[in-house]
Amino acid sequence: PMTLLKIFKYCKNTGIIPTFTFSRINLKKEDLKDRYANYLLDMGLEFGARFIVYSDMLKDYIKEKDPNAQVIASIIKAQDKFQGENAKNWSIENETNYYNKLLKEYDMVVVRTEYVKDVLLYNPSLIDDISKIEVLINHRCMRNCPKAKEHYLLSESSNIHNTNFKCIYNELSDPAS
């Protein structure tokens, strides 16, 4: 914990905004009582960190603790809604409407890389407030990965069990790997 404190102090002194990723998909109400996660959350709040979350329940929990905390909607939310078995729900209009809805509920939104490349680069005015959009440059999965949600679940599990995870679809599609 002392090392973490040094990192936060360094960030504060240099103007860097630390960002936590709390993107657990299967979050339960009792998980909100996790002592270590709350320690990290409280330290993050103290030092003005941002929080990327999947769970609306966690967003509400963070905002209860600090209404001024910056909470960002995780990319996993849109992947869950528009990729894999839910790809049938996808249309430019549906995804755009979804992001604009999230912009009303979150401080920022991480959008799918595919949406950026296929839609946002050509029509940024579709988004109500483009300044609140965040883009991942080094996404872990290949374009439109059919198993993106499962990969996050495996990644979540590997974090819990301290093992490594890498998207096999990405490896199969990348001739350089």
Side-chain angles (χ1 to χ4, degrees):
M2 191 53 159
T3 304
L4 192 58
L5 183 59
K6 283 182 181 178
I7 292 169
F8 274 113
K9 286 181 178 180
Y10 175 80
C11 288
K12 185 175 185 171
N13 291 336
T14 58
I16 296 171
I17 300 172
T19 303
F20 279 97
T21 302
F22 288 145
S23 292
R24 189 156 178 200
I25 293 172
N26 294 318
L27 190 75
K28 298 175 192 72
K29 192 167 179 98
E30 59 264 19
D31 294 328
L32 297 177
K33 297 176 186 169
D34 181 277
R35 287 180 54 207
Y36 187 67
N38 274 288
Y39 169 77
L40 292 175
L41 174 61
D42 290 341
M43 187 174 281
L45 290 170
E46 181 182 337
F47 284 91
R50 302 181 323 164
F51 303 91
I52 299 175
V53 303
Y54 172 86
S55 166
D56 292 335
M57 178 177 59
L58 181 55
K59 174 202 42 120
D60 294 342
Y61 181 74
I62 293 169
K63 288 291 194 177
E64 257 179 47
K65 283 182 158 261
D66 183 348
N68 297 314
Q70 193 171 58
V71 184
I72 302 164
S74 172
I75 189 173
I76 307 168
K77 293 179 82 61
Q79 287 175 324
D80 191 19
K81 192 157 185 78
F82 298 111
Q83 284 182 218
E85 64 189 35
N86 293 322
K88 63 188 176 296
N89 298 327
W90 185 86
S91 72
I92 291 173
E93 182 181 7
N94 285 349
E95 190 162 6
T96 300
N97 288 342
Y98 184 65
Y99 291 135
N100 284 325
K101 175 185 169 288
L102 288 175
L103 285 170
K104 291 179 177 90
E105 301 167 11
Y106 286 82
D107 298 298
M108 292 182 79
V109 176
V110 183
V111 298
R112 291 184 328 116
T113 308
E114 297 84 355
Y115 181 81
V116 173
K117 290 178 179 176
D118 297 340
V119 179
L120 210 52
L121 285 176
Y122 306 103
N123 295 302
S125 62
L126 292 174
I127 296 295
D128 292 341
D129 187 349
I130 198 75
S131 70
K132 295 169 84 177
I133 294 298
E134 192 162 300
V135 178
L136 292 180
I137 303 302
N138 63 336
H139 194 269
R140 74 172 55 234
C141 287
M142 72 173 206
R143 182 176 174 80
N144 289 312
C145 180
K147 301 284 187 184
K149 181 179 180 180
E150 290 85 349
H151 291 158
Y152 274 99
L153 287 168
L154 285 169
S155 178
E156 182 178 294
S157 176
S158 73
N159 286 338
I160 292 168
H161 302 317
N162 200 24
T163 58
N164 239 346
F165 169 76
K166 199 171 183 187
C167 171
I168 186 135
Y169 289 96
N170 202 12
E171 287 180 6
L172 293 174
S173 67
D174 183 2
S177 60

